[in-house]
Amino acid sequence: MTRYQCIRREFMKYEAVIGLEVHAQMLTHSKIFCGCSTSFGSKPNSQTCPVCLGMPGVLPVLNKKVVEFAMRTALATHCTISPLNRFARKNYFYPDLPKGYQISQYELPLAEHGHIDIQVDGVEKRIRLTRIHLEEDAGKNLHEGIEDASYIDLNRTGVPLMEIVSEPDIRSSEEAVAYLKKLRNILVYLEVNDGNLEEGSFRCDANVSIRPVGQEKFGTRTELKNINSFRFIQKAIDYEIKRQEMVLEEGGRIIQETRLWDTQKGITVSMRSKESAHDYRYFPEPDLVPVKIHSDWVEEIQKTLPELPDAKKERFIKDYQIPPYDASVLTQNKKIAFYFEECASLYHRPKAISNWIMGDLLNEEEIPISPRQLTGMIELIDKGVISGKIAKTVFEEMLRTKKDARTIVEEKGLLQVSDDEAILSFVDQVLNANPESVEQYRSGKERLLGFFVGQVMKISSGKANPGKVNELLLKRLKNP
């Protein structure tokens, strides 16, 4: 905890208590109880059948891959997998749920009691997981661009979801975002979820309450529903904490309800009163038998788990001798981590590779240059063919044209100038043009050396070898 946070907490009257429920769509090709496609963006109602439409007389059949993906997640988050879990009917009516109930899990979920470790401001914290259970998604109501009507798209009905529920161990929006990012990374590494927030395949409900600092009993919570952006999650939680503080300070009371985040106004708004479990009238799903998971199956899944972000980070520090910060950044994105390793296998300077990736490639949707191209450019710098300054230009050209660094250097005449006579020519031009500065330097104002170096680099269009420039400048200034 930072000093600012310590001071702020000392004077805080209330403490936030936050629990998160993440709905993660699993990367299966077909839905959880039928063979319909799960692909995104298809024509409305083009991926449905009598099972996911809830027609009378149809029977659901559980997709085995869904169970395996949830087991991978459970093992990666240190959960205990239940040898017997069961589906239940969660009864409620929404227009996008034609059969009037959702098949979910209730009293016997697939896995429980795991944890995820996060780090905020250098402080590590463990967030416990209550449970991971399986369920089907509902459809989607369509309102935009439709006058005096609403349409329903049932393509999402029956899409397989994992609901990952945390204990109320989170105390700030920063911790909430750190937890969600860590969880998303794990799911993407496991290849069970694509981590796409915009398409709703990774979305979050946040249960937020506040209580006087030092009080153990929880306050009344509100649920912020279906937020699909890390930025919005942070803003919504911060707003809700302040809103609840104002309500209590003005003598009011918090109502248990579901609220929505209004992205335009930057506020949370009431959606409906919060249902309790008994409102859903859960009962065991009669059309599905309980799921039995033998220990042999668990062991088989355990063997397929990949190296996860935390383990990869530690290995990067050990194997490549890069700072923990670099290792942490590089392993937050599976694609970047693999790219770095491929580069490091091609060239012996992992820190230089890390610098270029973190500086210019982290935010690229698709990495536009190959590992061989990046390491080829770093090798040109190391061999003195181009300067670090010119390398920036070369790199931008590589991104734009996809050409190799050497080709760009040759085509644009960007070879570094290391010839003594050529550099001395630049040096003399700069010294002759700035006699007063030269006199000041020789009188003891040595920081002017940086000015001279800058001027030489400028008139050489950045192509002069910086080491040679320094050497020859000092020689000229000391021996006119």
Side-chain angles (χ1 to χ4, degrees):
M1 186 176 292
T2 63
R3 183 170 177 271
Y4 168 74
Q5 286 178 313
C6 290
I7 293 171
R8 185 168 177 265
R9 185 160 187 166
E10 187 178 343
F11 291 98
M12 277 172 54
K13 190 173 180 180
Y14 298 101
E15 175 185 56
V17 177
I18 302 163
L20 298 176
E21 299 173 10
V22 169
H23 286 91
Q25 177 180 336
M26 284 180 269
L27 278 175
T28 56
H29 296 297
S30 55
K31 295 183 179 179
I32 185 169
F33 298 124
C34 65
C36 291
S37 171
T38 57
S39 64
F40 180 82
S42 300
K43 184 181 174 185
N45 297 309
S46 62
Q47 297 171 179
T48 58
C49 72
V51 174
C52 52
L53 289 176
M55 295 291 185
V58 297
L59 291 175
V61 178
L62 179 60
N63 184 340
K64 183 181 178 183
K65 205 62 166 176
V66 169
V67 182
E68 290 181 351
F69 280 3
M71 289 168 66
R72 285 167 71 82
T73 306
L75 291 170
T77 53
H78 315 284
C79 285
T80 301
I81 295 176
S82 170
L84 180 70
N85 58 94
R86 185 165 64 191
F87 285 94
R89 287 191 181 181
K90 183 180 180 182
N91 296 277
Y92 61 97
F93 174 77
Y94 282 158
D96 56 8
L97 188 67
K99 61 188 176 188
Y101 63 86
Q102 178 186 25
I103 300 178
S104 181
Q105 292 188 315
Y106 181 49
E107 83 281 22
L108 289 176
L110 182 132
E112 297 177 288
H113 311 311
H115 66 262
I116 289 176
D117 294 330
I118 62 169
Q119 193 175 73
V120 175
D121 292 334
V123 178
E124 289 197 359
K125 181 173 181 178
R126 176 158 294 180
I127 308 299
R128 295 169 297 158
L129 299 187
T130 311
R131 56 191 277 149
I132 297 176
H133 68 253
L134 303 170
E135 65 183 27
E136 60 180 346
D137 205 353
K140 183 179 181 183
N141 296 323
L142 306 176
H143 311 290
E144 292 181 8
I146 304 167
E147 193 173 344
D148 298 328
S150 291
Y151 294 158
I152 299 173
D153 178 7
L154 295 173
N155 280 351
R156 286 198 65 84
T157 306
V159 164
L161 301 178
M162 274 185 292
E163 183 166 342
I164 304 162
V165 183
S166 84
E167 292 286 322
D169 292 340
I170 297 167
R171 295 290 173 269
S172 68
S173 61
E174 290 83 4
E175 288 184 5
V177 171
Y179 165 82
L180 290 170
K181 286 184 175 178
K182 188 72 171 287
L183 175 59
R184 188 181 71 156
N185 285 345
I186 291 171
L187 298 183
V188 172
Y189 267 77
L190 292 171
E191 298 181 350
V192 300
N193 175 268
D194 63 11
N196 191 324
L197 281 79
E198 289 182 358
E199 294 178 3
S201 54
F202 184 93
R203 57 186 194 264
C204 166
D205 300 341
N207 292 301
V208 181
S209 66
I210 61 171
R211 63 184 175 186
V213 173
Q215 176 181 298
E216 289 193 11
K217 184 183 175 185
F218 292 157
T220 302
R221 64 188 164 90
T222 59
E223 182 184 41
L224 304 176
K225 196 75 175 169
N226 277 342
I227 311 175
N228 61 352
S229 149
F230 292 135
R231 187 164 59 92
F232 290 156
I233 287 165
Q234 184 155 6
K235 286 185 172 183
I237 289 174
D238 284 340
Y239 178 87
E240 187 57 18
I241 291 170
K242 288 178 184 171
R243 187 191 71 83
Q244 293 188 16
E245 286 178 353
M246 285 181 61
V247 170
L248 295 183
E249 286 298 300
E250 291 171 359
R253 67 182 182 88
I254 308 300
I255 300 169
Q256 184 169 327
E257 61 182 345
T258 299
R259 299 179 69 86
L260 292 177
W261 172 244
D262 186 324
T263 56
Q264 300 298 319
K265 297 178 180 175
I267 61 173
T268 66
V269 293
S270 181
M271 177 184 177
R272 61 173 185 261
S273 61
K274 172 66 181 169
E275 296 90 343
S276 299
H278 66 266
D279 294 326
Y280 291 120
R281 294 174 290 115
Y282 281 100
F283 64 83
E285 166 59 56
D287 292 336
L288 287 166
V289 296
V291 181
K292 292 182 180 177
I293 298 177
H294 197 274
S295 59
D296 290 348
W297 194 13
V298 176
E299 288 176 18
E300 187 182 320
I301 297 292
Q302 180 80 57
K303 290 175 185 171
T304 68
L305 294 187
E307 183 181 44
L308 294 169
D310 283 350
K312 195 178 284 291
K313 174 187 167 186
E314 293 306 314
R315 185 171 61 77
F316 277 15
I317 295 170
K318 179 172 173 286
D319 289 358
Y320 299 112
Q321 302 290 304
I322 58 175
Y325 174 77
D326 291 33
S328 177
V329 172
L330 293 173
T331 53
Q332 283 179 20
N333 181 313
K334 181 182 177 183
K335 180 177 61 182
I336 291 290
F338 278 70
Y339 183 83
F340 167 78
E341 284 223 89
E342 195 170 343
C343 289
S345 72
L346 295 171
Y347 197 57
H348 65 280
R349 291 238 292 139
K351 178 54 182 163
I353 294 167
S354 167
N355 288 345
W356 279 97
I357 293 176
M358 293 198 302
D360 296 276
L361 292 177
L362 274 186
N363 296 323
E364 295 286 338
E365 191 67 27
E366 291 295 330
I367 302 174
I369 58 176
S370 70
R372 193 166 293 282
Q373 286 178 311
L374 178 64
T375 53
M377 186 197 70
I378 296 171
E379 190 173 3
L380 291 184
I381 301 169
D382 292 347
K383 287 182 175 176
V385 177
I386 56 174
S387 66
K389 184 177 176 63
I390 288 294
K392 282 279 185 187
T393 303
V394 172
F395 187 78
E396 288 170 5
E397 279 295 299
M398 288 170 66
L399 294 178
R400 192 177 67 80
T401 65
K402 312 291 186 295
K403 292 180 179 177
D404 291 344
R406 184 170 286 280
T407 303
I408 293 168
V409 168
E410 290 172 356
E411 284 181 353
K412 292 191 169 292
L414 297 174
L415 284 174
Q416 181 166 262
V417 177
S418 297
D419 176 71
D420 283 10
E421 285 193 18
I423 294 177
L424 271 174
S425 167
F426 296 139
V427 167
D428 288 341
Q429 287 180 55
V430 169
L431 298 186
N432 291 335
N434 298 278
E436 290 183 7
S437 297
V438 172
E439 191 59 38
Q440 289 174 347
Y441 176 87
R442 287 173 178 155
S443 301
K445 207 170 179 178
E446 294 186 352
R447 68 173 184 274
L448 283 170
L449 180 64
F451 164 73
F452 296 131
V453 171
Q455 291 300 304
V456 172
M457 296 306 291
K458 185 177 178 182
I459 64 172
S460 71
S461 301
K463 292 191 283 188
N465 182 318
K468 286 275 186 182
V469 171
N470 270 281
E471 177 192 331
L472 295 174
L473 260 172
L474 285 170
K475 190 175 177 182
R476 222 29 146 210
L477 287 165
K478 288 178 181 174
N479 303 295

